[in-house]
Each structure stands twice: as structure tokens, then as C-alpha cells.
């Protein structure tokens, strides 16, 4: 059994609510993207410090410390890359859905863009 039909005011409130939720999700995806970039940049900065200070230590003596550090850095690069990729995919999906809603309801398109 279906409920009573929506009037145009209730329908636009419903669409505005959906767009607000999509924009909130988009902000969350952007925060995830920012976190992924920061996680991706951390190993690069650690490796640049190690390269810059490489003349002060002997690789043979610090190899037991370098191997776990490089494995950890590789894991951080993978995690950062995954967060970036996942966030970009979600951003595209939310943009596409917002575009669909603004094309379907032309009366609210002026408020969105």
C-alpha cells in the first residue's frame, strides 16, 4: 500500500534532504581523500630523511632496522593509495547522483550549482 502522494513542496524538501545527505557524504569522502594523501606522503618524507642522512650511517649495521621500516612504508603507501582511489570513486558517484537529481528536478538546479 502506498502513502499519500507528495505535493511539490514536500517533494522538493525530500530532494533537498537527499542532496544534503549526498553533500555530507561528499565532505566525508574529501576528508578520506585528505587522510589518504597524508598517509601517502609520510613514507616519502621518511625515505627522503633517510636518503639525506645516509652518509652518517652504514647500511650493513642498520639493515635490521631498515627492512621493517621499508615494509611499513610500503604498507602505508598501499593504504594511502587505496584511500585516495576509494575516495575519488565515491566523489564521482556522489557528483553523478547530484547531477541526476538536478536534471530531474530543474526547479532546484539553480540552488545547487
Amino acid at each position: 500500500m502506498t502513502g499519500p502522494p507528495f505535493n511539490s513542496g514536500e517533494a522538493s524538501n525530500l530532494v533537498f534532504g537527499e542532496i544534503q545527505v549526498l553533500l555530507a557524504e561528499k565532505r566525508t569522502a574529501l576528508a578520506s581523500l585528505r587522510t589518504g594523501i597524508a598517509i601517502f606522503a609520510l613514507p616519502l618524507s621518511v625515505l627522503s630523511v633517510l636518503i639525506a642522512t645516509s652518509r652518517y650511517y652504514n647500511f650493513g649495521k642498520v639493515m635490521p632496522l631498515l627492512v621493517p621500516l621499508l615494509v611499513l612504508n610500503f604498507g602505508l603507501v598501499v593504504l594511502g593509495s587505496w584511500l585516495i582511489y576509494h575516495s575519488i570513486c565515491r566523489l564521482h558517484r556522489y557528483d553523478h547522483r547530484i547531477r541526476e537529481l538536478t536534471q530531474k528536478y530543474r526547479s532546484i538546479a539553480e540552488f545547487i550549482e
Side-chain angles (χ1 to χ4, degrees), residues 30-81:
L30 287 170
S32 178
L33 178 66
R34 183 182 62 221
T35 303
I37 291 171
I39 289 174
F40 187 82
L42 181 67
L44 298 177
S45 61
V46 169
L47 289 177
S48 65
V49 168
L50 287 176
I51 291 170
T53 60
S54 63
R55 64 176 172 216
Y56 298 117
Y57 58 84
N58 185 355
F59 284 106
K61 291 181 180 178
V62 295
M63 190 60 71
L65 299 173
L66 282 178
V67 171
L69 179 68
L70 292 176
V71 170
L72 178 67
N73 283 345
F74 178 74
L76 288 174
V77 166
V78 169
L79 175 64
S81 300

Side-chain angles (χ1 to χ4, degrees), residues 1 3 6 14 23 25 28 31 39 43-45 48 50-51 57 60 64 81 84 86-88 109 113:
M1 175 180 225
F6 290 115
L14 187 65
L23 291 175
E25 289 293 327
T28 304
I39 289 174
L44 298 177
S45 61
S48 65
L50 287 176
I51 291 170
Y57 58 84
S81 300
I84 291 169
H86 186 67
S87 298
I88 289 173
E113 298 186 20

Side-chain angles (χ1 to χ4, degrees), residues 2 22 27 33 39 41-42 44 46 63 65 74 77 80 83 93-95 97 99 102 104-105 109 113:
T2 62
L22 287 171
R27 283 191 301 271
L33 178 66
I39 289 174
L42 181 67
L44 298 177
V46 169
M63 190 60 71
L65 299 173
F74 178 74
V77 166
L83 280 172
R93 188 172 55 234
Y94 298 142
D95 284 338
R97 180 66 182 143
R99 208 172 311 115
T102 55
K104 186 175 180 181
Y105 301 99
E113 298 186 20

